Amino acid sequence: MAKRHHEQLAIIHYPDPRLRRAADPVRHFDGELATVAERMLQLMRDAKGVGLAAPQVGLGLRLFVMNATGEPGGDEVFVNPEIVDPQGQREAEEGCLSIPDVHVQVRRAQRCRIVAHDLQGRRIEKSGADLVARIWQHETDHLNGVLIIDRMGPGDRIATRNTLRELEARFVRKSTGR
Ligand code: ZN
């Protein structure tokens, strides 16, 4: 990974095209990667989120951070994650730090396992249910360019239309204003 100024990493918003690209596997488990994860955890905390994936800070890497408990010891990092053995179906409301003011019902597996690596490249395998399984699935979606608005039903599609249009207009203004 090229050297860059990680303190400048910031959360990007829909419809930034970087949110739509499939991210590349992480190959180097180095200090650079740890610095990126630490900065992402900080951005997630500042935004009062429970999860943040690398594409949400404009990095095309298969990596996400999360904290399901809100406790200081609850920080977790998953590198090159795969969701396996999804079971059951549950619908619940989700938001996304990259889509401000949008909350929609999303159907996901109620429980699943995740296979990944930690920041040292060691293999992790965990089982989770409910909120934890939901965060794993939401963040892994980000690594494949998938957003909650791709998974919402027709009612939410109508309810969120104006907010999404406003975000699209804001993105155009920001892009052309430079
Ligand atoms: Zn999200």
Side-chain angles (χ1 to χ4, degrees):
M1 198 190 309
K3 288 268 177 232
R4 48 176 98 216
H5 299 289
H6 297 298
E7 63 278 8
Q8 288 173 5
L9 287 179
I11 296 174
I12 62 173
H13 294 140
Y14 170 88
D16 192 309
R18 288 173 288 179
L19 292 167
R20 290 308 200 174
R21 291 183 197 133
D24 296 321
V26 170
R27 303 199 185 284
H28 302 289
F29 295 82
D30 51 14
E32 190 82 0
L33 189 70
T35 306
V36 167
E38 198 46 57
R39 175 63 178 150
M40 285 172 58
L41 281 163
Q42 186 189 331
L43 287 167
M44 179 188 78
R45 266 193 301 274
D46 292 349
K48 303 193 188 319
V50 292
L52 186 68
Q56 294 182 272
V57 294
L59 297 176
L61 291 173
R62 301 192 78 82
L63 157 78
F64 72 80
V65 300
M66 66 178 277
N67 187 324
T69 65
E71 303 294 327
D75 288 350
E76 292 186 277
V77 180
F78 293 89
V79 183
N80 299 338
E82 301 285 347
I83 301 293
V84 291
D85 205 11
Q87 292 185 7
Q89 293 279 306
R90 187 82 33 111
E91 197 170 75
E93 189 180 272
E94 290 184 25
C96 179
L97 295 179
S98 291
I99 318 178
D101 304 323
V102 167
H103 296 88
V104 298
Q105 294 289 318
V106 181
R107 181 172 291 276
R108 304 233 186 238
Q110 189 258 327
R111 56 172 56 244
C112 63
R113 286 186 297 129
I114 190 167
V115 179
H117 289 90
D118 68 12
L119 285 172
Q120 284 75 43
R122 292 177 298 226
R123 193 174 185 277
I124 311 169
E125 181 166 354
K126 292 184 176 193
S127 294
D130 302 317
L131 178 63
V132 167
R134 183 166 292 275
I135 295 169
W136 290 347
Q137 292 170 81
H138 177 121
E139 301 308 331
T140 302
D141 264 358
H142 274 299
L143 307 183
N144 298 317
V146 175
L147 303 173
I148 53 173
I149 52 174
D150 305 328
R151 297 192 180 277
M152 65 187 171
D156 279 333
R157 198 164 293 280
I158 293 164
T160 58
R161 191 171 54 190
N162 288 342
T163 309
L164 293 177
R165 280 188 182 160
E166 176 49 39
L167 287 170
E168 288 158 15
R170 196 183 302 171
F171 183 75
V172 170
R173 282 199 301 272
K174 217 177 139 204
S175 313
T176 54
R178 272 178 199 152

